[in-house]
Every structure is written in C-alpha cells, then in structure tokens.
Amino acid sequence: MDLRSFFCPRSVAIFGAPWATGQAGLGILTSMIRGGYEGAIYPINQDGGEVAGIASYPDLRSIGEIPQLVVIALPVDSVKPVVQKCADLGVKAAVIITSGFTESGSEGSALEGSIVRIARSKGLRIIGPNCIGIMMPHCRLNASFAGEMPEPGGIGYFSESDSILASAVDIARAQRLGFSRLFSIGNKADTDELDFIDALGADSETRVIAGYLETIEDGDAFIQRAEKISRTKPILLIKSGVTKAGAQATSSHTGRMAGTENAYECVFERAGVIRCDSIQRQFDYARAFASQPLPKGPRVAVIANAGGAGIMAVDAIEREGLELAGFSEETQQHLAARLGTGIHIQNPLDLPDDALADRFETALEAMIDDPGVDAILVVLSPHVITECANAAEAVVRAASMKGDKPVLACFLGAQRVQEAVGILRGSHVPEYETPERAIAAIKAMVGYQRWRSRPKRVVKLFPVNKHKVERIINRQLKNRNTQLGEVYSKEILQAYGFLTPKGQLTTSSEQAVNIAEQIGYPIVMKIWSPQIIHKTEIGGVSVGISNRGDLIDAYDLMMYRIPKRFPEADIIGVFIEKMQTEGVEFILGMNRDPLFGPLLMFGMGGKFVDVLEDFAFYPAPITADEAKEMLLSTRTYRLLHDAGGETDRTQTLDIDAISEGLQRLSQLVTEFPQIKEIDINPYIVGSYGSAPIVVDAMMTLETP
Amino acid sequence: MDLRSFFCPRSVAIFGAPWATGQAGLGILTSMIRGGYEGAIYPINQDGGEVAGIASYPDLRSIGEIPQLVVIALPVDSVKPVVQKCADLGVKAAVIITSGFTESGSEGSALEGSIVRIARSKGLRIIGPNCIGIMMPHCRLNASFAGEMPEPGGIGYFSESDSILASAVDIARAQRLGFSRLFSIGNKADTDELDFIDALGADSETRVIAGYLETIEDGDAFIQRAEKISRTKPILLIKSGVTKAGAQATSSHTGRMAGTENAYECVFERAGVIRCDSIQRQFDYARAFASQPLPKGPRVAVIANAGGAGIMAVDAIEREGLELAGFSEETQQHLAARLGTGIHIQNPLDLPDDALADRFETALEAMIDDPGVDAILVVLSPHVITECANAAEAVVRAASMKGDKPVLACFLGAQRVQEAVGILRGSHVPEYETPERAIAAIKAMVGYQRWRSRPKRVVKLFPVNKHKVERIINRQLKNRNTQLGEVYSKEILQAYGFLTPKGQLTTSSEQAVNIAEQIGYPIVMKIWSPQIIHKTEIGGVSVGISNRGDLIDAYDLMMYRIPKRFPEADIIGVFIEKMQTEGVEFILGMNRDPLFGPLLMFGMGGKFVDVLEDFAFYPAPITADEAKEMLLSTRTYRLLHDAGGETDRTQTLDIDAISEGLQRLSQLVTEFPQIKEIDINPYIVGSYGSAPIVVDAMMTLETP
C-alpha cells in the first residue's frame, strides 16, 4: 500500500460544498481546469447541475466508476462522513484540504484520529488534512491552491508549510525548474514525511527528493529509511526551527518539540541527507542533481571569458574545500593548438572577452575528455561583443556530448544574458546567478558522491557482561537514583570492556596510605558520595599526590571541607586510584536525543572540552569506520597529527582505542535505553600497546 | 585636484579614430546618445563631417571650448600625443579606453608612465587606460561599453574587472538598484582605488561606496583613507584572489602579488570596510545601506504571513548572531487590541495567511514605535488569497512614516509577488529573495553601526630603550644574520619593557648548578646557538628540572646530543632559567604583510597554537581597546571566562597585561620596520599583580 494512487489518477472527484460560496472546492476545480488535466473530473454537488462548466454528481456512487483520487474541501464537520463513504466505496487516495483538525486543539485531534482509523481500515490513503493540495506536472494535475504548476521534471517536493510550498512553486516556475510531484503534507495524519520520501524514492519520474520540514515524527525510522533512499537518490531537506530561537518558534507554531542543531547535523550526515538552509540553496542544488551526473571527485575546471568572474570561482572552490583541476599534457597541447596564441592554458582558462562560441565549445570538450577533471564550471560575463546566446548553445552541445561529468554554468548578468540563460535552462544545463552558488552546488554533489561510496556498514558486537549492567541499573532505579557517580558508572563501563585505573575505596587515612603504597604513587584521591556527581567543583578531587604526607593532608582536608560545602552528601569514603601520567585526554559521551535517540560524542578532553567547539556527534549504533570518521572530522585530530613540530602523534597514538571506545559505548547505549547521558572524561589513550583508561565517568538514567 | 571633473561634465569630446572601422569610439558615442546625455558631445574626426549623426571636429582646439571630459578610444600609438594636447589645452579629465599598456608588458608600461607624467604636470586626471569607461546616471552620461545605465541612486561603484562591471550593471538594472557613479578603473595608472573611494566619499550623491578589486596598491594608505571614509559612508568591497588558489589566479592575471586571507580580514575590520564574497551579497547589502537608516542594535522583529518563512527568518537571526526582539507591554496590548483574536502577539509575529494589508501596516507601525526593536523584517508568502501588492503598499507607507529604523522585506516568490516587489523596490524598501539574505543584510548594518560607534583611537606610546634595539639589529644585520634566537630576541623585548625569567648563560654543568641554586628550582635549560632557532625540535630544551642531579644529567645529555643532531651549530652554551609554573600561556606575534605591513597576532600559546585556529590578527599600531577586542574575539577568551566549572579566570587573569604586551609589540614593530616576524611563545600571564613573562621568543629581520 503506497502512495502511487496519488501520482497520476485518471479520474478525480472533488467535494467542495457549498459550491456556491465555498472558495476551497472551487479553487481546486479551477486549478485543475487551468492546469489542463486530461482525466475525468467529477465535482460532487448534492443539488446537481454544472459547477464551473462541468457536470456535477450528487454523490460518489452516481459517478458510475470509483474515482482514483478524491479531493475533500468541505467544512470540517462534513469531512468524516465523506471519508467513510470513500472508504466504503473502495477509493484508494484522498486529499483533505479542510483545516480545523489537530492544529486547532484536542477536539480536532480526536476527529482527525477517527478519520485516519476509518481510512486505514479500508486501505484508503489520506494526504492532509489542513493542506493546500498536490500537483503532478507530468499528467497536468494541479489539485491545489499552491499556484500555477511548474514544468514537468525530475524533482519530487513535499512541504509541511503551505506558504513555503506556494513560494517554492512560484520561484520554481520563474527559474524553469522541472518537478515530478509536489505535495502539501499538512497535518501528516495518515501520511508523513517518510511516506513521501519512500514514495518519491520508488518513483521512476523522480530523480531528486526535496522537502521542507518543521518536525520529524519518528527519528529512528527517519534515519533508517532516509539512508536507504539516499543510496539511490539525493534527498535535499530544509529543516527549519533547528537553532535554539528557531525551535521556540516552531514549538509555538506546531506545539511539538524540535531537535537540536547537532542532532540534525549528525543524523542527516549518517543518512546521507543534504541539509539546505534556504529555498535558494535547495533549488540551486536540486537543479544540479536533477540534470547532471555526479562528479567522481573534487577537481573542478573553470572556463571563463573574463578574469574577474573566473577568479571569484577559484576563490569559491578554495573556500568550499574543492580542488582546482590540473590539465593533462594532452589537454594542454590540444587547447594550445586549437585556441590560438595569446591564451594561457591554465585553470581557470581565461578566454578572450569576445568569447567566441566555438572557443567555449573546444575548451569544454577538452575538459570533458580530461581524466583529471571531475566537474566543469563555465563562467561568462556579458561584454558588449560577447556572443552570449551562441556560447550558451555551444555549452549545451558540448555538455550533452558524453554526459559522464557534471557541467554547470554561470552567465553573470540579467537582461543581457537572458536569452542565453533561457537556452541553458531549457536544455537542462544548470545555470546559476553567481559563480559562488554554482561552486556550492558542485560541493554538494561531491559530498553526496563521497557518502554514496562509503563502505558497507558493519556494527561490531563485543562480548560484554550485560547482566551486571542490568543489575546495577535496576538497583539504582529501584532506589529512585538516576544520577550515577564515578563508582557505578565505572562498574558499568568495566562490564562493557572498558579499563579503569587500579584503585580502592577507603574510609581512613591510614588505609589510604596502605592502598597507595600497594598501587604506587602518584595517586589521585576522589570523594565517593552518591549525591556528589561533580566532584571537582567542590574540592572532591586531589591529583598528583606523590607521598605519604601529602596523602594524609589531602585526606584530612577533604574530610574537613566536603561536609561543610555539601552538608546533604552521604560520604561513603574516598577512592584511592593510580594516577595516569601518560597519554592524551579525550572525552567520550552520549546524549539521548528525544527524537533521534542516542548520539555519541567525541572530543578533546580536560578543560578544553567547552572551548574548542570541536565535538563530533554521531548516532548510535556506530561502525568502526564511522567512529574513525568522527575522530578525523575534529581539529583535535589535526592537533595529534601535527603537534607543533613534535612527532606525528597519530602514528603512535592508539587511534583504534578511541574507535573501539566509541563502539563499546555505542553497544552499551543501544542495549540500555534506560541510560540517558554518559560522560567519560577523561578517557586517556596512550600509544599502541598500552591500554586506554576511563579515569572518570558519570551517567544519568531516564526517570522510570 | 580631485575627480569631481568626471562627475557631471557639461561637454565631452571623444577620440575614436578611425571612426569608420574603429568599434571603440563609436561604441562609446552610441552609448552616450542612447543614454540620453544632454551635454555637448564633440566627436573628434580629422576628416570632419558627421559621426553617428553628430557634427565632428578636426581637433580639440576647433571645438571652441575646452571640453570638460575627454574620452580616448584610439589605437595605442596615438594615445600619447592626444593626452599631450589635452594637457596643453587645460583639459582636466580624460578616460582612456585603449588597451596595450602596462598589462601588455614593459614597453606598454613605459608608455603608460610617460602619459601619466604628462598628465600630472598639467593637472589632467586620467581614468584607465585599459578600461571600459564610466557612467553617471544622475546626468545620464554613459561613456562606456558596460551596457545600459542603471537607474540613478545612491550607490557609487568602481571595478577593476571590466567583465564584473558589465555583469554588475546588467544585474543592477534588473534589480532596479540605483547608482550615483560607476567607474571601470582599468590599469589604475593615474587614479587608483583610493582616489575613487575618496571621490565617492566626498560626493553628495553617493550614500554607499561599493567596488570590486583584484589588487590594492598601497596598503598603509588604504587603511588610513578607507577608515576615514568609513566613518561617514559604508564601503562594500569584493576583494577577489584572496584565498591561496585565488591568489595564484590573480597573480597570473595581473602579475602582481595578492595578500592573504587573514591580512585582508583584519585590515578591512580595522578600516570598517565591509567585505563581500559575491556580487549577490554586495548588492544585497548595498540595497539596504543605500535606503535605510542604520539599526541602533541587534534586536530584530519579524512580521510574517506564514509560519514557515517566519521560522526560517528566526533561524537565520540566530545563525547570524543577531537577537530576536522582545515587544514592550505597550506594543503587545496595542497589537492584541488592533489585530483581533487568534493572533499570538510574539516575535515572529504570524499574521494569518490572507495577510490583509492593514494588518501588516498596523504591526509594522507598532514595531517601529517599540524602543526594544532595532530592525524589522517583513516576510510574505503568496497564498492564493494574499493581497501581495496591497501589503507591499502598506509596508512602504509604514516604512516611510518615521525613517529612524531599518525596514527590510522578503516577498518569497517570483511571478506572484512581482507587482509587490516592484512597488517595494520602486519605493526604496529593500526587498530580498529569501529571508536569509535579508537577515544577512541586517547583520552587515549592525556590524557597521557597531564599528562606527567605536571609541576614538588613541595609540599609547611607552617609554622604551630604542637605541639598544637599534644597536642589536644593526649588529646582526652587519653580520648578515637575520634569524634572531631567544637571547637577542629577549634583549630586544626587554628594551621595550617586556619581562623575561631570571636566568644566565653558562658553559659547564658545575656553573649551571650554581646558577640554579641562586635562582631556585625548578629551572629550564635551553641550548644557546645562533644557528638553532627551533630548540625544542632537536632536544635543545629541558623543562621542569627540580634538583642538582637531574640538572647535571640534562646538561650532559644536551651537550652529547646537540652536536650530533645539528653538527653545523656553534654552541655558545646553555641558558639556565627560572621555570614559570603559574599563569596561562599565550602567543603574541607579528608578521609583516607585504601589502599592509605589520600584523599583530594573539592566540592561545603552547602546543595548541596550530590546532585551535583561534588567532586574532590586527594591523599595528594598535590601541588598548583594539588589543582587548583581539582577545575578546577568540575562543581562548571564552576558555578563560568559563573554564569548565572552575572560577572565571577572566576575573583574576591580568587581561590588561595581554593588552599591554600587544601594544608594546605594536610600538616595537612600528618603530623597527627591519623586523619581519616575531613570535613570543609562550607569553605567560598570571593574575593581576604578577608580572607577565616572555618565556621564549624569536625574530626574523628583513634581508637588508
């Protein structure tokens, strides 16, 4: 049961009562007539007669066939009986325009729920309610209020905001972007973003999936299914309300909680979804993805008829982290011979101002043939003597020659390049207003291609002591304790294969000295109290104790101070622990996002945690490759890689220990949804051969 | 002698021979006629007769008056005699279109030089050569090949790239941006970017200065003069070829060296220049600056007729670091009473989809009156029932009501908002294609306003021992030594009031022990050799030596190792120095940019230097305020401010010591242009009352 019934129905019934005064039904009907829909249109009108010049029917049954699509634009109270009739009759697809459901309060929500139940019991799929309809340009079906239909093409679009859809449609028409299907998804009562992603993913007319979302309903399912579809088609999403202030606005707009910036960032990365922060960017990318093959790598060649714009393209290539392609010996000789003297064969290739069209064509062909070039940008400025339209035609000819490399264009101007831009857009060569925007589109393609060529995901399962963790967690939850301090946290981590420093609990300074002498100085002393989670802040940690006298002093000071500073704490004793003097401090952590579940974190440890802004997040479960990618994506890695002239630490530092730590953490939080937060800080990693150590840790459990 | 002669000449003579075949002269003449220029036009044609329907003159003298402007579009060999005649006759302004000068090699360069000398000797100012002319929309003078003239308005534009100018003009016309003057500045033989910035700065028709530059001729003068003009008018510059790859492209395009990213960034910041990375961004900003008052602060109010676009605006506000304005009690009550029920009075203010124009007007007026709002963005999406044009008119009315707060608009669409956008643009309400671009423009205005309200710059001069530094530098340069190691660098810094740790040079381990016992353990031992600049890398530094035995071991190890590792080094001895155990490590530095001179650097010291990417740069000489701004602009400052739960170090750490260190360094490098590079790393700063210490330093001198 999918959404194909909505794609190109051969007949559409419209409920629009009261037809005489109701704007909604008449609006849809008018859109359909103006759009040139060639299937059968059945306005349903109890009173009979014609509506907008079309014969109406008193009810569904009197039509004589089961309409393939029903559009319902009735007052809210009349919707449910009509849905019931559609369901009973065997209608498979309905769009409900009407508002006044979940978005208006609990009564509307209950009504919406009952409608969905009716529909699902009979295999009727519903889009909406509270939406502005759908458009199917390939079969000229415009059953919407979203304006006039864009051209048919390869972009499938869905929008949770009616106004964004209306704007997007208007902009798409002006830019001659081609669409396969457009959906206003409204309250997502029966069909949500995942249904649309699935449907567009399976749709042969759709090459690119694009959408605007304010909420995501099911984080886990989103990851799984978006990732699956991304393997074959790019998904370009605007997710608004992601920043802090934005989330407030979303929340007052939809009454639902929005996720956080980091969560969306890493989840989209995992699922291969390309995030866009504006319609402009989304359309810029969609234009390229819909018409061009993916580049095999990041090496871009630029052909320009003018220094200025060419240099700006090169600046953008560098800013985006792409590479300027070098030309092969063969290309250089070929171009030198064909282009004539006075033209330096280099990248960017500066053609003379006059930009004779055949020169553009020669240059472009040579670059398409050069194996050192992955993508090509043609930049043209309209000099008085520039043959803009001829150049555009030459670009179109050359670009369609082979079709195994993306060719993008920027004809920098307005009226003077209008004809040329028309030629390019009409022939599916993506054209951009500025070189910067074209380069950004290439960057998006390169990133997507890289994602697609990832190795297969294999999540490793380590042998662990799951029962022990179960026992600890259950006991704590029974005691209504959700804050686990160092001792319990370390026990849990030990059960999952993490190592902790040698150490022991004690309640007297004499015993402390005995323990210290057993494990050897220097040692660290830490207060142990179930109430004290952040030990350092209240003086509950003493580091670098190197002899007996200092140890006794430190013990006495702690026993004097802590009860004064934190009178409500039950002090069980102090923990005497071997101090780790070698290795690099990292932080490993987990935070359970309300939408996407456990997100693993990696970063530099110690006091730099809060400043470096150098975390990497990734949703669990994680693979070994992904864990290493997390590490590689941080500046911290560069620190290790090139630590101010010293040896390259990445050669000696046990990077695999970090990856393994993240994978074990991933397994722990996947197997124990009761754990809400984990901080392992510091996680000390030395060189290969030495074991990584959890020096301190804390966890928070979900309130049962 | 300024460039006003070019602004609105009452008569223009054009040299365009051969008129019959030459495109250039005829092109200019045609542009002038089509542009509707109303002054006198004198084509100069040896053969007499009419040119393009206008009576020609055999030479300048035969005109009977001295033309206020001469445009020269002759073959390169004929230019010099004509310039001579112009100069002799007392012409004050000439535009030379002709190419084949400096850009074509040394012969052309010499010719260009001789022409400039002729002109300057007689007070003739020249624009070009190798340019495409000028446009003066206010007096309908289009003496260019740059296309049809844009509307008259407040933006003054100059471009070093002909193609960028041609594109910019074309785009400006399509967007109905208004311009005061436009200059193609070509080879900048007599007049360069500073002349144009000055001229536009003094021009009453110009409200905003905008330009495209590939090179800056004189860095020092640029800073001084751009800063002066920025105080009254915003300067929006595209400087291309700034990134590494871009600089290569510039270099092959113009044969001149381009500066680096950091240099431009900090110099533009100092001079108040607003840097733009694309024409799109430059025009987005120019549109706002040209028509709107500056916002007094960062608090933005958003009015939208649609949730989606409003949320996207709020997301952008957060991303740009602006604030969402809160409404006063009065505004809230007023709006609640006037807008009717069902509208939540909050920011963004969501008006119903229908966006009745009077609601927009009411809301906008209330926000203009609210003292808690600094800038307003109106966002509209074209629903079927939206009164777009009426809403635009309402926005125009309200926006022009008071005029003390910027009002920007985004009517998100294309054809359906076309009329509305026309109304807005025609009435100088800046309108943007997406909310994100409008918010970026507000951000630029807020930043500029902040820059304008800086306190007056006062550079402090410290009493220093300049003679001592002179002696050290002269002696080193005499010995052809340009690499100063720790010892000389510290002597120089001491002379400028920096403190260094107690310490002494020695050549034996016995003496080393004596010195250490005098100054007290722990100590640091460092190799002293003129050839060894980077001591750590070759084992020439031993830190944390805490007793006699370790000291002797460290000495012997160094004396054994260094000659093996660095045989060509003359080892003078080792330096025994008190080890600094308190305080925070910073790096202070200076790099002399080839264009902009000495740039000071501040950052976190130690091994984090290379990773944090957390430097601040600023051109010397620096003020105390600017030095503190450098500190505040780094993440390092946040580290100090909130170091993981510990006390706020910024309360105790001697921030003024950092500022003073930067100021003293500034004075040193300003007074000694022979110094090319300085690294003070680490510069250890403790709490107020303890003196900051230069623990290590190195300098490079300019090769004499």
Side-chain angles (χ1 to χ4, degrees), chain B residues 285-301:
Chain B
Y285 293 177
R287 185 195 311 284
F289 278 112
S291 66
Q292 298 299 304
L294 293 175
K296 295 193 176 50
R299 299 164 305 174
V300 184

Side-chain angles (χ1 to χ4, degrees), chain A residues 409-410 412 432-439, chain B residues 171 278-281:
Chain A
C410 165
L412 197 58
Y432 296 86
E433 282 177 40
T434 66
E436 294 76 25
R437 286 167 61 179
I439 294 297
Chain B
I171 294 167
S278 67
I279 296 181
Q280 176 178 299
R281 199 170 278 268

Side-chain angles (χ1 to χ4, degrees), chain A residues 167 244 318 412 612 638, chain B residues 167 244 318 412 612-613:
Chain A
S167 295
K244 220 175 81 197
E318 173 139 323
L412 197 58
L612 282 173
R638 288 204 296 276
Chain B
S167 294
K244 218 175 82 196
E318 171 138 324
L412 197 60
L612 282 172
E613 293 176 353

Side-chain angles (χ1 to χ4, degrees), chain B residues 308-569:
Chain B
I311 297 171
M312 291 178 80
V314 173
D315 281 352
I317 286 170
E318 171 138 324
R319 265 197 303 270
E320 296 281 5
L322 298 171
E323 293 169 21
L324 208 54
F327 299 141
S328 71
E329 201 56 46
E330 207 184 322
T331 302
Q332 292 187 37
Q333 283 170 8
H334 175 78
L335 287 178
R338 294 281 306 272
L339 293 178
T341 51
I343 297 178
H344 235 68
I345 308 303
Q346 61 182 2
N347 189 7
L349 186 67
D350 264 11
L351 298 175
D353 295 347
D354 55 2
L356 292 172
D358 60 340
R359 283 190 173 138
F360 267 103
E361 195 164 358
T362 302
L364 189 47
E365 281 175 8
M367 287 173 198
I368 289 174
D369 282 336
D370 191 322
V373 173
D374 297 315
I376 303 161
L377 174 63
V378 179
V379 185
L380 183 140
S381 281
H383 279 251
V384 171
I385 42 175
T386 307
E387 302 178 329
C388 294
N390 289 349
E393 275 160 9
V395 170
V396 168
R397 271 196 306 277
S400 59
M401 191 177 70
K402 287 200 166 176
D404 65 343
K405 228 171 246 187
V407 176
L408 287 75
C410 165
F411 278 35
L412 197 60
Q415 201 203 322
R416 293 169 67 185
V417 296
Q418 200 169 22
E419 187 191 348
V421 168
I423 292 166
L424 292 165
R425 295 198 167 164
S427 309
H428 308 298
V429 172
E431 196 279 334
Y432 296 86
E433 282 177 41
T434 66
E436 295 75 25
R437 285 166 62 178
I439 294 298
I442 293 176
K443 172 63 184 286
M445 295 178 99
V446 169
Y448 175 64
Q449 165 62 19
R450 204 170 277 156
W451 183 90
R452 283 235 300 216
S453 30
R454 297 178 314 169
K456 195 170 150 44
R457 297 191 73 241
V458 181
V459 175
K460 185 169 174 182
L461 275 188
F462 298 89
V464 295
N465 187 346
K466 207 171 156 180
H467 289 300
K468 185 176 174 193
V469 176
E470 250 162 30
R471 278 196 305 274
I472 299 172
I473 289 180
N474 289 342
R475 197 171 58 227
Q476 294 301 319
L477 288 179
K478 208 172 146 197
N479 295 340
R480 309 200 153 277
N481 180 29
T482 55
Q483 284 290 339
L484 306 193
E486 180 174 358
V487 175
Y488 292 127
S489 298
K490 279 183 169 174
E491 279 184 25
I492 290 174
L493 290 167
Q494 281 164 354
Y496 268 68
F498 285 89
L499 292 180
T500 57
K502 275 189 281 187
Q504 212 175 313
L505 177 70
T506 174
T507 52
S508 76
S509 57
E510 296 76 25
Q511 211 185 336
V513 169
N514 289 339
I515 297 168
E517 274 161 13
Q518 255 171 38
I519 62 179
Y521 292 101
I523 62 117
V524 179
M525 183 192 300
K526 299 173 184 174
I527 197 75
W528 185 0
S529 158
Q531 287 81 27
I532 300 175
I533 300 301
H534 299 287
K535 301 178 287 289
T536 309
E537 286 77 346
I538 57 152
V541 177
S542 185
V543 302
I545 301 169
S546 59
N547 59 57
R548 188 174 184 282
D550 288 354
L551 176 53
I552 293 169
D553 289 351
Y555 184 91
D556 291 346
L557 183 65
M558 215 174 269
M559 285 304 151
Y560 169 76
R561 259 191 192 161
I562 303 289
K564 293 186 76 157
R565 291 188 175 175
F566 203 150
E568 61 275 34

Side-chain angles (χ1 to χ4, degrees), chain A residues 23 145-147 161-164 166-167 170-171 173-174 212 214 238-247 249-250 252-253 277-280 306-309 311-312 314-315 318-319 324 346 348 350 380-385 412-417 433-434 436-437 537 604 607-608 610-613 635-636 638-639 642 644-645, chain B residues 23 145-147 161-164 166-167 170-171 173-174 212 214 238-247 249-250 252-253 277-280 306-309 311-312 314-315 318-319 324 346 348 350 380-385 412-417 433-434 436-437 537 604 607-608 610-613 635-636 638-639 642 644-645:
Chain A
Q23 293 182 321
F145 290 119
S161 158
D162 299 344
S163 60
I164 294 292
S167 295
D170 197 23
I171 294 167
R173 280 176 58 83
Y212 169 89
E214 292 178 355
I238 299 175
K239 169 65 185 76
S240 74
V242 166
T243 58
K244 220 175 81 197
T250 298
S252 64
H253 186 64
D277 58 6
S278 67
I279 295 180
Q280 176 177 299
I311 296 171
M312 292 178 79
V314 173
D315 282 352
E318 173 139 323
R319 264 197 303 270
L324 209 53
Q346 60 182 5
D350 265 11
L380 182 140
S381 281
H383 279 252
V384 172
I385 41 174
L412 197 58
Q415 201 203 322
R416 293 170 67 186
V417 296
E433 282 177 40
T434 66
E436 294 76 25
R437 286 167 61 179
E537 285 79 345
M604 191 74 174
K607 65 177 171 176
F608 294 100
D610 295 322
V611 206
L612 282 173
E613 294 177 352
R635 288 194 305 276
T636 299
R638 288 204 296 276
L639 165 65
D642 184 18
Chain B
Q23 293 183 321
F145 290 116
S161 157
D162 298 345
S163 60
I164 294 291
S167 294
D170 197 24
I171 294 167
R173 280 177 58 84
Y212 169 88
E214 290 177 356
I238 299 174
K239 168 67 184 76
S240 74
V242 166
T243 56
K244 218 175 82 196
T250 297
S252 64
H253 187 64
D277 59 6
S278 67
I279 296 181
Q280 176 178 299
I311 297 171
M312 291 178 80
V314 173
D315 281 352
E318 171 138 324
R319 265 197 303 270
L324 208 54
Q346 61 182 2
D350 264 11
L380 183 140
S381 281
H383 279 251
V384 171
I385 42 175
L412 197 60
Q415 201 203 322
R416 293 169 67 185
V417 296
E433 282 177 41
T434 66
E436 295 75 25
R437 285 166 62 178
E537 286 77 346
M604 191 74 175
K607 65 177 172 176
F608 294 100
D610 296 322
V611 206
L612 282 172
E613 293 176 353
R635 286 194 305 276
T636 299
R638 287 204 296 277
L639 167 65
D642 184 18

Side-chain angles (χ1 to χ4, degrees), chain B residues 154-158 196-198 200-201 206-211 229 233-237 282:
Chain B
I155 306 169
Y157 204 88
F158 57 90
F196 293 100
I197 288 174
D198 278 349
L200 294 170
T206 300
R207 289 191 63 175
V208 177
I209 301 168
I229 304 293
K233 287 181 195 177
I235 303 175
L236 309 173
L237 286 189
Q282 188 177 41

